[in-house]
């Protein structure tokens, strides 16, 4: 089971944190700090799997990560998950973000946090992988965008009608 998905930059600033297992806020912050300290010391040429630290569950848990440019994409998983499968999942997540934001960067994660969370929810829900087919994920995202545009148009129309009635 996936316990957490973390994205942070090279300086340790969290850009996305999603915990699928309950941890108090202080413990979440400590997990993020500990994870960053563990990963930032590693060279890019070493293995992308790491035994979890004391806070995240110890030896039964693994940190599976990829370092892309200025961002670390980290999944904390228990021993029932395949590390290679999670690496592939990270690749699907990043490629989906790339397709949605046209070469995703840190600013996209900051200014479109709701969309990033929605994409993650399409891939992982409740700590379980629900979809890895990128085409299917993008179809759902496009459908969501159409709904948002329709709602915005309806909201504008209602505002226009209400403003004409108030005169």
């Amino acid at each position: 089971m996936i316990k957490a998905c973390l994205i942070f930059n090279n300086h340790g600033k969290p850009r996305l944190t999603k915990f699928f297992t309950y941890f108090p806020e202080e413990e979440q912050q400590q997990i993020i700090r500990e994870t960053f300290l563990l990963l930032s010391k590693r060279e890019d040429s070493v293995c992308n799997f790491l035994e979890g630290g004391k806070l995240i569950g110890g030896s039964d848990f693994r940190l599976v990560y990829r370092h892309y440019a200025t961002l670390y994409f980290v999944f904390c998983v228990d021993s029932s998950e395949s590390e290679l499968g999670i690496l592939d999942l990270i690749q699907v997540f990043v490629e989906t973000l790339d397709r949605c934001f046209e070469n995703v960067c840190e600013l996209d994660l900051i200014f479109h946090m709701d969309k990033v969370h929605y994409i993650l929810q399409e891939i992982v829900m409740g700590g379980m992988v629900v979809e890895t087919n990128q085409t299917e994920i993008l179809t759902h995202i496009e459908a969501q965008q159409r709904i948002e545009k329709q709602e915005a148009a309806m909201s504008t129309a209602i505002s226009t009608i209400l403003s004409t009635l108030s005169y």
Side-chain angles (χ1 to χ4, degrees), residues 3-112:
K3 301 296 182 183
C5 174
L6 309 171
I7 302 175
F8 45 84
N9 67 12
N10 288 340
H11 304 290
K13 296 269 191 213
R15 297 306 179 203
L16 175 122
T17 58
K18 178 69 174 174
F19 287 87
F20 298 104
T21 302
Y22 174 75
F23 291 101
E25 182 71 29
E26 292 172 7
E27 202 169 327
Q28 288 181 12
Q29 295 302 315
Q30 186 62 30
I31 288 168
I32 293 167
R33 278 191 297 274
E34 182 180 320
T35 302
F36 175 71
L37 286 175
L38 287 170
L39 299 182
S40 63
K41 296 175 188 174
R42 295 171 62 91
E43 294 181 26
D44 286 339
S45 61
V46 299
C47 178
N48 291 18
F49 315 135
L50 189 61
E51 199 170 280
K54 289 175 274 188
L55 281 175
I56 201 83
S59 62
D60 188 42
F61 292 87
R62 304 273 184 269
L63 298 174
V64 182
Y65 73 97
R66 292 290 300 263
H67 186 203
Y68 294 98
T70 62
L71 296 171
Y72 286 92
F73 289 78
V74 184
F75 279 75
C76 175
V77 299
D78 62 19
S79 58
S80 67
E81 293 287 341
S82 162
E83 286 95 349
L84 291 175
I86 297 298
L87 265 182
D88 188 46
L89 185 71
I90 293 171
Q91 186 69 28
V92 168
F93 184 37
V94 172
E95 285 179 9
T96 304
L97 290 171
D98 269 344
R99 299 256 315 260
C100 288
F101 296 115
E102 297 176 14
N103 200 10
V104 69
C105 67
E106 189 173 348
L107 290 175
D108 292 322
L109 300 180
I110 294 169
F111 292 116
H112 303 287

